[in-house]
Amino acid sequence: MRIVSAASISIALLLFGAGCATRAPLACPGPQPDTRTAKVFFATDRRQEPTGAALRFSGGRTDPPGLHMGWERVTLGPAHRLGRVDAAIAATSAHAQSDSAEGARQNALRRTDAEIAAFVETQLRPAIRSAPSPKPGHPRQVLVFIHGYNTTFDFAVRKTAQLAGDLGLVRCDGEMRGVCIAYSWPATGSLLSYLADEENCEWTQQRLAPFLQSLARVCRQEGAELHLVAHSMGARALVRSLADLANACEPQHRRERLADQVILLAPDIGQGLFAQYVERFLPMVGHLTIYVSAKDRALSLSSLLHGGHERLGLIESTVLAALEITGLRRGDHRLSGYVAEQGGTDGKINMIDVTGFAAGQFGHSYEAREFIADLRELCLHKTPAGHGARDNLQPREIVPGFFRSMTGKRIRYFVLKTGA
């Protein structure tokens, strides 16, 4: 057993940041400008490390705790391919930043709360108010992306721009059709930092929660739809922050909308923990979508590192499945997760199996055109799963025993099929 643990931990440190590129069609086929430009707002409690004219933040924490907030311009070149954070997506030197994370240690959290509210009012509210909607007569759109483990600030900003472009918030003619925001917590950007990143992910909640609260209030007042997208370990910070906000609400305010869409991509959070948190915040969100895979070997290893507790983003999550990756067990990683067609209407929680489209050798990222198309229909058009342009989602019923800790929740399970 000692050999198993050592091998698993060593491989885990290597696999969580690994991935393989997959080819996809051009994001903007046909005539297009040489480059599109996205204005990406950001909020980060990383320590600032000046490097010339460009904004750069390290994996260290701000001290005293606080947020740097501002925006960066990111270009999306014509060679950008759908779903990829590729070389065609590049941050420019154009930026603006507040110094909210600087100052005296005394009352740092309260000062940060006030500065968050001021930034949302003076910077984000005007941007939301002036942003045209993707389609005439539709609500304006606001997208927040929260990254996972082993992610740098620069990558988080570029990933947010990629999502905004691929989802249609940056049109192919170069016009912005919404507001996109990168929330970047102090992930160290190192393969050997999983445990440190876990603590930093929890540490950031004291700023993420008030940031989301202020932003949600402005979106409600401006009639804009707020979409919160979190990947991997970032899902922990988001889920816990939403639960904290729900717990802090007076009973008469617990129906106020915190977000229209909450979207978790390969969430690295225990199913048992999630089941408790979702009870708190579900009444305050419009819809919750969880994209999962049966071939996410990174989450299999996470399960092993967490004492066998099943991860939300993994359909079949057992210690034996994790051992398969170490070479100590051989067999089919995926067990059938469905047995029969499921009737009824679209539920408030949808779980979407993208096993056939998971990118990378270890299946921890999603880049396929089918996944991007589904995400776009979900966010911009509110298309119900299994209907219209999302009819390539096949409803299935989870076999008994799957997600035992989540029984009784209004969950519908779908498998993403080819042919989108």
Side-chain angles (χ1 to χ4, degrees):
M1 185 61 189
R2 184 169 51 196
I3 296 175
V4 171
S5 298
S8 300
I9 292 172
S10 298
I11 294 174
L13 295 173
L14 294 175
L15 300 193
F16 269 95
C20 292
T22 56
R23 296 189 64 82
L26 288 172
C28 285
Q32 57 182 298
D34 290 338
T35 59
R36 296 179 288 159
T37 301
K39 183 176 184 179
V40 179
F41 290 92
F42 69 83
T44 183
D45 46 10
R46 296 173 180 265
R47 184 174 63 243
Q48 186 172 5
E49 303 289 345
T51 55
L55 283 178
R56 293 295 180 269
F57 297 90
S58 73
R61 303 173 179 179
T62 55
D63 185 20
L67 278 181
H68 295 286
M69 294 171 285
W71 55 264
E72 284 199 356
R73 291 282 183 188
V74 181
T75 59
L76 293 87
H80 166 58
R81 292 187 175 274
L82 197 72
R84 295 281 308 282
V85 183
D86 48 30
I89 300 179
T92 72
S93 60
H95 66 264
Q97 178 192 332
S98 71
D99 291 324
S100 62
E102 308 297 331
R105 181 179 300 276
Q106 185 178 7
N107 296 323
L109 289 177
R110 290 191 180 91
R111 186 184 70 248
T112 298
D113 288 350
E115 290 162 345
I116 288 171
F119 178 77
V120 172
E121 285 293 334
T122 62
Q123 299 293 319
L124 294 182
R125 185 189 289 274
I128 294 169
R129 185 174 290 174
S130 62
S133 63
K135 295 178 65 176
H138 285 227
R140 293 183 291 274
Q141 303 291 304
V142 179
L143 173 73
V144 178
F145 175 68
I146 305 166
H147 61 78
Y149 152 76
N150 186 28
T151 302
T152 65
F153 173 80
D154 288 347
F155 185 88
V157 170
R158 292 170 60 224
K159 177 65 178 179
T160 305
Q162 174 254 311
L163 285 173
D166 291 352
L167 297 185
L169 299 186
V170 187
R171 296 199 331 181
C172 288
D173 61 8
E175 183 183 17
M176 287 290 295
R177 305 293 286 184
V179 174
C180 57
I181 305 164
Y183 185 93
S184 184
W185 51 279
T188 58
S190 167
L191 293 175
L192 302 177
S193 62
Y194 185 74
L195 296 180
D197 280 3
E198 282 195 310
E199 181 149 330
N200 286 342
C201 181
E202 183 175 354
W203 179 83
T204 200
Q205 290 170 222
Q206 296 302 314
R207 284 150 297 283
L208 177 56
F211 181 81
L212 295 178
Q213 184 177 43
S214 294
L215 180 60
R217 181 182 64 252
V218 167
C219 287
R220 288 195 303 269
Q221 293 170 349
E222 297 296 330
E225 292 184 340
L226 176 60
H227 309 309
L228 306 178
V229 181
H231 177 247
S232 190
M233 194 181 288
R236 293 192 213 176
L238 175 58
V239 165
R240 289 169 174 171
S241 295
L242 291 174
D244 285 348
L245 291 175
N247 285 335
C249 279
E250 297 294 333
Q252 63 270 26
H253 298 302
R254 287 179 182 165
R255 293 291 174 177
E256 290 184 351
R257 186 68 57 91
L258 286 174
D260 292 274
Q261 300 286 347
V262 174
I263 300 166
L264 308 181
L265 311 178
D268 183 10
I269 182 173
Q271 291 179 22
L273 286 173
F274 175 79
Q276 296 181 82
Y277 292 131
V278 74
E279 291 280 6
R280 299 293 188 180
F281 73 78
L282 189 61
M284 303 183 73
V285 302
H287 199 268
L288 171 64
T289 304
I290 309 165
Y291 287 90
V292 302
S293 171
K295 293 184 178 178
D296 194 323
R297 298 186 174 187
L299 291 186
S300 286
L301 286 164
S302 176
S303 176
L304 185 63
L305 292 171
H306 289 93
H309 291 291
E310 298 173 340
R311 316 318 284 167
L312 180 64
L314 188 63
I315 288 295
E316 189 269 317
S317 177
T318 66
V319 173
L320 291 179
L323 293 181
E324 175 191 324
I325 304 164
T326 69
L328 298 176
R329 174 181 181 264
R330 300 290 181 183
D332 185 6
H333 175 73
R334 183 173 184 184
L335 300 179
S336 176
Y338 44 86
V339 292
E341 295 291 337
Q342 184 179 29
T345 59
D346 191 31
K348 193 167 187 178
I349 305 177
N350 284 345
M351 186 168 288
I352 300 177
D353 180 359
V354 294
T355 298
F357 304 92
Q361 182 178 357
F362 303 103
H364 195 53
S365 61
Y366 311 144
E367 299 173 355
R369 57 181 296 181
E370 291 87 351
F371 161 72
I372 294 295
D374 190 69
L375 198 61
R376 181 169 179 165
E377 284 296 320
L378 171 63
C379 291
L380 299 192
H381 305 293
K382 297 183 180 179
T383 306
H387 299 273
R390 300 182 75 198
D391 63 0
N392 62 326
L393 291 178
Q394 185 175 28
R396 297 290 190 175
E397 183 175 304
I398 300 176
V399 298
F402 272 53
F403 303 104
R404 291 182 298 274
S405 61
M406 298 174 65
T407 56
K409 311 299 185 299
R410 292 169 291 171
I411 300 175
R412 293 201 70 211
Y413 175 57
F414 296 85
V415 176
L416 182 61
K417 302 184 298 181
T418 58

